[in-house]
Amino acid sequence: VQAMYKRTGGKNTKHKAITKADSITTVSYFGAQLFQFYQGQFFSNLSTILRTKQFGHLFSIEVIAVLSEVPAKSKAGLELSDKDMLMYSGLKNKLAKLILGIKDYNKHTKQINTVDSKE
């Protein structure tokens, strides 16, 4: 994680950078470097097509797990601990269910936004 942001007030207010959060739900979004699975317990920090590092903004709802240990770093990326690799494998095995859950969340959010805009 490179940065974290939260809303300064209610709906339609600005975001401000924060250095820590008591709960993931207090964070609006994260600025993070993105990694992709390579092999074994290794994750590459480079895009395989363009050979560039990738960064992105992730909403707190998009964060599904937190690593239990700081991964070992190298020039090519990260190596996860055995425990974190087991968690990753479990999540990967349930990818179809995770995608359905995200679609349901997005559908629910659109319905709420539609009702809010009509009021």
Side-chain angles (χ1 to χ4, degrees), residues 35-47:
F35 295 83
Q36 67 185 61
F37 177 71
Y38 178 63
Q39 68 180 20
Q41 292 179 220
F42 292 94
F43 289 75
S44 172
N45 62 4
L46 299 175
S47 166

Side-chain angles (χ1 to χ4, degrees), residues 1-6 16-21 27 29-31:
V1 172
Q2 303 292 322
M4 297 186 296
Y5 301 89
K6 77 173 195 172
K16 75 173 193 171
I18 57 174
T19 56
K20 64 180 182 176
V27 179
Y29 63 93
F30 299 86

Side-chain angles (χ1 to χ4, degrees), residues 2 17 22 50-51 65 72 77 93 97 104 110:
Q2 303 292 322
D22 296 328
L50 301 176
R51 306 287 302 158
N93 290 338
K97 287 184 180 182
D104 285 346
K110 283 181 185 177

Side-chain angles (χ1 to χ4, degrees), residues 69-80:
E69 299 177 29
V70 175
K73 296 179 184 177
S74 70
K75 287 183 180 181
L78 302 175
E79 180 181 6
L80 294 187

